[in-house]
Amino acid sequence: MRINHDVIKQELEGIAHAQMEKMFSDVPFARDFHLGQKTDLLYFRRHLIETVVRMRLDMQTDAYALYKMRPLDNELSKKFAQYLSEESGHDDMFLVDIQKFGISRAEAISTKPLLSTENLIGYFYYHINHQGPMLTVLWSWLVEWYSDNFNGNITRKAAYEFGAEKLKGSMAHLTIDDQKDHHAFMLSTMAHLISTEDDLQKAKVLIARLVS
């Protein structure tokens, strides 16, 4: 019997919340930033840039994961392809905002990723080649979970401090995610990969690694 959808949601969200709390304990400003209590101009600008850099690298790993999963699971590949199609071009929304903070599109795109991002992308490729698509799908769900829990706080605080006219792209992205309910969609996509208790335990370990 397949594991209940609600159980998967509860277990994985519990792990994600717990790992975020660990980070908040180690870095108090991270808590304030994510809860929309504090922001910082230079920190927020780098946050926007890294968002774009990571998204553009994600697009490549996502496409590769889709290519590898298509012969293995047609239903999963169709759902994941729909998600990727709906997400395509969202980096442009953040690039509009970045330029309002005095950073050119070319400068943002050419910025070297943080080491953590480089390690993350390398981990994706390794896992796709040796373990299959679970990590990539889990990451997409985690990104949507993160957006639901924190991006609104971060963006609204930045809009208050730096001006709402500078955050129109970010606010539009939040609206699209709400309308499409990508969090729920990716949860159902992810649940397609988790049918046994062993699958669930593997997913929990991967979520913990992704957040940490």
Side-chain angles (χ1 to χ4, degrees):
M1 185 173 67
R2 294 187 69 90
I3 295 179
N4 182 274
H5 184 279
D6 291 335
V7 171
I8 296 172
K9 181 177 186 293
Q10 180 179 359
E11 291 285 328
L12 296 189
E13 289 188 353
I15 291 291
H17 276 295
Q19 292 300 115
M20 289 296 293
E21 281 299 322
K22 287 182 181 179
M23 181 186 73
F24 292 160
S25 295
D26 293 337
V27 188
F29 177 76
R31 179 189 298 276
D32 295 336
F33 181 75
H34 282 80
L35 297 184
Q37 296 171 353
K38 292 181 181 179
T39 192
D40 174 85
L41 179 58
L42 294 179
Y43 189 95
F44 183 74
R45 284 178 15 154
R46 190 63 179 88
H47 169 75
L48 279 181
I49 291 172
E50 196 66 20
T51 296
V52 168
V53 170
R54 193 208 71 242
M55 288 177 74
R56 292 170 71 88
L57 292 170
D58 278 348
M59 292 175 200
Q60 298 175 46
T61 56
D62 287 343
Y64 183 59
L66 182 61
Y67 157 72
K68 296 287 280 189
M69 76 173 66
R70 172 58 186 84
L72 304 175
D73 192 323
N74 186 54
E75 187 61 30
L76 175 63
S77 64
K78 286 194 295 184
K79 289 176 71 70
F80 196 54
Q82 178 182 338
Y83 172 73
L84 298 186
S85 175
E86 292 177 359
E87 283 290 310
S88 180
H90 285 195
D91 54 318
D92 286 331
M93 297 180 184
F94 296 101
L95 282 165
V96 169
D97 292 351
I98 283 173
Q99 292 172 80
K100 293 177 181 176
F101 282 89
I103 304 162
S104 71
R105 178 186 178 94
E107 181 183 355
I109 291 174
S110 63
T111 298
K112 180 178 173 59
L114 297 175
L115 179 60
S116 57
T117 298
E118 291 183 341
N119 289 339
L120 177 68
I121 297 302
Y123 186 41
F124 286 156
Y125 280 114
Y126 176 85
H127 212 274
I128 292 167
N129 285 325
H130 296 280
Q131 303 294 331
M134 178 181 281
L135 182 70
T136 308
V137 176
L138 284 171
W139 172 252
S140 295
W141 166 80
L142 184 63
V143 167
E144 299 301 335
W145 173 85
Y146 176 95
S147 182
D148 273 9
N149 283 272
F150 302 114
N151 274 348
N153 300 333
I154 294 168
T155 303
R156 284 188 291 270
K157 179 62 173 175
Y160 176 79
E161 295 291 342
F162 311 131
E165 72 282 355
K166 293 183 177 180
L167 277 302
K168 289 182 179 179
S170 299
M171 294 302 295
H173 185 257
L174 289 173
T175 300
I176 290 174
D177 276 348
D178 286 342
Q179 291 174 343
K180 297 288 187 178
D181 199 2
H182 280 162
H183 182 195
F185 182 81
M186 283 312 302
L187 181 64
S188 67
T189 303
M190 182 176 62
H192 187 79
L193 283 168
I194 301 173
S195 59
T196 67
E197 182 64 31
D198 185 54
D199 292 336
L200 180 58
Q201 292 306 313
K202 289 178 182 177
K204 290 168 67 174
V205 169
L206 292 174
I207 289 294
R209 288 176 181 170
L210 287 171
V211 179
S212 62

